[in-house]
Amino acid sequence: MNQYSKKNYSRSKWKKHPPIIVHWFEDKHGPNGNIIGSIPKNSSPFTVDTIEQLLASSGTFDFAKLGLYDPRCNWLDASVDFAPHFHVIDSNSGKALTIVAKAPYGDKLPYDPTLDREGRGFTSFQGIILRRITTLRTRLVETSDASLGDEWFQSFRALVSECVSLIDTTLHQLYFKAKLDPLAGWKFDEKALGPRHGRRLTDKFNWVYKITGKFLHADTEKKNFVAIKDLRNHLQHFDPPSFCYTLEDAATWLNQVIDCGRLNWAIRQCAGSPLSVPLIELLLQRAVQFVPEHPAAMRVPQPDNVGYLSTKPQAVEGGDV
């Protein structure tokens, strides 16, 4: 509601607020796909109850159903995805037809994704990673009866890796935006921010305040992200070269995945960036709970010397990536 109305009301205030209508403009494209103008649009009247009912009933945010525009962030979420399946040579110049995509960081970016033959290019990974996380997590829950098999475990490894990539790419997008095309009120001091490479990922959380001037109030989310990140390191490097987990461990990790989405949201809030539909879908994922095959059988609480804690590597100074 705040995003579309450009206001900053509490939920209780919105509950008392009459329906609102959003007036916006849709790009008008010419025959070659270029923007040649704009078309005025009006949303349907809606309230906070309308939004909540839509989210609860669908598990996503169908903005078009309310006549609204896509809520994505233009510099964080919008991506030029291109995948030519041809290699065509111009008979006059002898050169191949070339596609060049411009990333949304101004004109100073020293590189542009370029293809002149079959391939795939992106200018943002936000959407593809967020959708992958939600798809993998949903699949793992729905196939949890096969959670002791190799395929389930390999999909779980992929999920953990994607969660770390999500936060990593978000922080680097913030860095490049601040360096090349900063928003009003942002600061960019390359020396104060420190190097992008060869340092702990968690040190980069300091970039948020140093760039936006807003504190990243997400202690629980950062703590759970660090747990996922440490798990990712173990599952990628296998140091030590052993691994063990209980399904109760797995349930904890699957719930920490949602906190990785919440951390992405917290970074966006500091940056003044809106939610995207793929992020909304991740945030709407439900918490999971381990249910044993024989729920009536007697069980004892999991001790510290079994499951992942029996193989968890100790923190190594300087060993983060």
Side-chain angles (χ1 to χ4, degrees):
M1 296 298 290
N2 286 334
Q3 189 167 311
Y4 282 113
S5 67
K6 312 300 181 187
K7 300 183 185 298
N8 189 25
Y9 292 167
S10 66
R11 179 176 177 274
S12 59
K13 189 168 183 177
W14 278 120
K15 292 287 285 186
K16 302 173 184 177
H17 201 282
I20 66 170
I21 297 176
V22 175
H23 309 285
W24 56 286
F25 292 90
E26 183 179 65
D27 290 337
K28 182 179 181 180
H29 296 273
N32 297 324
N34 56 316
I35 299 174
I36 60 175
S38 58
I39 305 170
K41 295 280 187 176
N42 296 319
S43 73
S44 304
F46 65 95
T47 66
V48 69
D49 289 332
T50 310
I51 298 290
E52 291 179 351
Q53 290 165 10
L54 186 61
L55 295 175
S57 63
S58 63
T60 186
F61 179 55
D62 188 355
F63 55 89
K65 197 169 185 177
L66 299 177
L68 292 165
Y69 55 87
D70 190 334
R72 69 183 182 180
C73 175
N74 288 333
W75 63 268
L76 196 60
D77 298 306
S79 178
V80 179
D81 297 354
F82 55 110
H85 52 84
F86 52 81
H87 180 59
V88 178
I89 305 299
D90 180 77
S91 57
N92 295 320
S93 66
K95 297 181 179 180
L97 175 65
T98 303
I99 301 173
V100 180
K102 300 292 292 184
Y105 307 114
D107 297 326
K108 299 178 182 178
L109 191 69
Y111 62 86
D112 295 309
T114 304
L115 286 173
D116 71 346
R117 63 200 64 206
E118 302 85 352
R120 183 89 185 271
F122 311 85
T123 58
S124 173
F125 285 103
Q126 284 283 324
I128 195 170
I129 292 176
L130 282 164
R131 286 189 289 269
R132 177 69 169 161
I133 290 172
T134 300
T135 298
L136 281 171
R137 188 179 185 275
T138 299
R139 184 187 305 161
L140 288 167
V141 174
E142 291 179 347
T143 62
S144 58
D145 58 319
S147 54
L148 302 183
D150 289 348
E151 288 302 317
W152 196 94
F153 176 65
Q154 292 290 54
S155 293
F156 176 76
R157 288 183 65 213
L159 172 64
V160 169
S161 181
E162 293 285 20
C163 288
V164 179
S165 296
L166 171 65
I167 301 304
D168 212 0
T169 190
T170 303
L171 291 169
H172 282 114
Q173 284 180 274
L174 177 68
Y175 182 100
F176 276 95
K177 181 67 175 176
K179 180 178 181 178
L180 303 174
D181 188 31
L183 299 182
W186 284 15
K187 295 180 180 179
F188 183 82
D189 183 334
E190 192 163 358
K191 185 176 180 180
L193 294 174
R196 299 199 318 274
H197 308 117
R199 62 185 304 187
R200 293 178 181 272
L201 193 162
T202 48
D203 289 344
K204 299 175 186 178
F205 288 139
N206 295 324
W207 291 355
V208 177
Y209 174 74
K210 291 178 179 179
I211 289 173
T212 69
K214 296 181 180 179
F215 289 103
L216 183 60
H217 296 297
D219 291 344
T220 298
E221 290 80 2
K222 286 191 287 186
K223 178 182 177 181
N224 287 335
F225 168 74
V226 168
I228 290 293
K229 176 191 64 64
D230 290 345
L231 178 64
R232 186 285 307 261
N233 291 346
H234 193 180
L235 289 173
Q236 290 296 320
H237 306 297
F238 285 106
D239 179 14
S242 300
F243 189 79
C244 179
Y245 68 100
T246 69
L247 296 188
E248 293 173 50
D249 292 332
T252 297
W253 293 326
L254 288 171
N255 289 332
Q256 288 174 333
V257 165
I258 300 177
D259 268 338
C260 294
R262 293 192 181 107
L263 181 56
N264 178 282
W265 184 17
I267 296 171
R268 286 170 179 257
Q269 288 174 307
C270 291
S273 170
L275 289 157
S276 67
V277 171
L279 177 55
I280 290 170
E281 291 175 350
L282 175 56
L283 296 173
L284 288 174
Q285 289 263 300
R286 295 182 179 182
V288 300
Q289 179 179 349
F290 169 65
V291 179
E293 186 174 357
H294 304 289
M298 182 179 296
R299 299 178 68 89
V300 297
Q302 181 174 321
D304 293 340
N305 61 345
V306 303
Y308 185 53
L309 290 180
S310 68
T311 58
K312 180 179 180 181
Q314 299 299 313
V316 179
E317 185 176 355
D320 198 0
V321 292

